[in-house]
Amino acid sequence: MKKFNLFKEIITVDKNSLQEAIDAKKTFGIDINGRVCNEPFTTDDILIYIGTPNANVALSEALGSKYQVVEDDNRVLIKAFSNWQEIIGFNTIRATYDDTTADGVDEFSTKEMEDIGWHAAEFNINYRTLVELLEKECDGTLICIEQEDPYQFSGLGFVSNLEDARDTLFNYCQTEVKRLITEDEDFAKESLNDDELEAAEFFKAL
């Protein structure tokens, strides 16, 4: 997955497209690639702005005080990190997972991936491990704020291909559960409790 760090990124938007959207006086969005998009938004729309701007103010002020906007010939350059909290709010509903809280990731957005996470926990495979696997192996975007000093991170993960992500997680967990049953005496087949047996059967590891 690629990382889109709002602390560092400048979003470039076509000036005419943005002005037309504002003049239409309807709700629209701007995604991380600078594309102006309209409702209904889909899981492919990772937005840095959503709203109905005031058409009666300068373009540099239309998106609101939390956006830094500079006009550059036929382009508009936008810095959006100051509006991070709202950006979380209007993107969370479409994200594959939410890594913005102090508790970290505790669920996936699809039932199939959540079933994997739920059963994997019986073998001490946590969501953090699964998320790191997704970020390493799968295509998608992690929109985040990240800084090194003092360290700070909050992010929303958007996986491009949910079926591929599901298979990646399942195959990893299946291999790991088989290894634990074979090598770890705490998870020896004859010692498994009912929940662990159910999880092992879910992963076809017995």
Side-chain angles (χ1 to χ4, degrees):
M1 294 173 67
K2 62 183 179 181
K3 186 177 291 185
F4 189 95
N5 186 353
L6 280 168
F7 272 139
K8 298 179 179 180
E9 299 286 350
I10 297 175
I11 298 91
T12 303
V13 185
D14 177 75
K15 186 175 181 179
N16 289 334
S17 298
L18 180 57
Q19 190 64 63
E20 288 175 4
I22 293 173
D23 291 343
K25 298 181 180 180
K26 295 181 179 180
T27 298
F28 68 89
I30 301 171
D31 73 10
I32 59 174
N33 298 311
R35 182 177 64 91
V36 175
C37 43
N38 298 305
E39 297 178 300
F41 303 117
T42 73
T43 53
D44 294 325
D45 297 322
I46 307 173
L47 305 176
I48 58 96
Y49 174 84
I50 181 172
T52 310
N54 185 348
N56 299 317
V57 300
L59 189 59
S60 60
E61 301 174 7
L63 302 185
S65 61
K66 291 185 178 179
Y67 291 87
Q68 298 177 30
V69 179
V70 175
E71 297 180 53
D72 179 29
D73 294 329
N74 62 343
R75 306 183 306 165
V76 176
L77 309 179
I78 302 171
K79 285 188 175 182
F81 66 86
S82 295
N83 203 33
W84 170 241
Q85 291 298 327
E86 284 196 28
I87 291 172
I88 289 174
F90 56 65
N91 277 300
T92 299
I93 192 172
R94 295 183 304 281
T96 310
Y97 60 86
D98 180 351
D99 195 8
T100 64
T101 68
D103 295 332
V105 180
D106 61 5
E107 66 178 331
F108 293 112
S109 64
T110 73
K111 183 181 185 306
E112 289 181 313
M113 292 175 66
E114 178 57 20
D115 283 346
I116 292 171
W118 178 264
H119 286 97
E122 295 297 335
F123 286 84
N124 297 333
I125 303 170
N126 58 35
Y127 281 88
R128 174 62 54 201
T129 297
L130 298 180
V131 163
E132 290 177 357
L133 181 68
L134 290 177
E135 292 172 2
K136 179 181 178 182
E137 301 292 340
C138 297
D139 292 332
T141 300
L142 179 63
I143 181 172
C144 63
I145 54 170
E146 183 177 29
Q147 62 184 24
E148 295 180 1
D149 188 23
Y151 183 74
Q152 178 181 2
F153 176 86
S154 290
L156 296 173
F158 293 79
V159 174
S160 299
N161 187 324
L162 292 173
E163 290 185 0
D164 175 63
R166 175 202 64 198
D167 292 345
T168 297
L169 294 183
F170 185 90
N171 292 338
Y172 169 83
C173 290
Q174 182 183 60
T175 299
E176 183 65 7
V177 170
K178 285 182 177 179
R179 183 190 69 79
L180 288 169
I181 291 173
T182 302
E183 300 177 6
D184 190 330
E185 63 181 19
D186 290 337
F187 292 107
K189 183 177 180 179
E190 60 274 10
S191 302
L192 298 178
N193 62 36
D194 289 346
D195 290 337
E196 291 164 348
L197 274 172
E198 180 183 335
E201 290 169 356
F202 174 84
F203 290 118
K204 300 179 173 61
L206 293 177

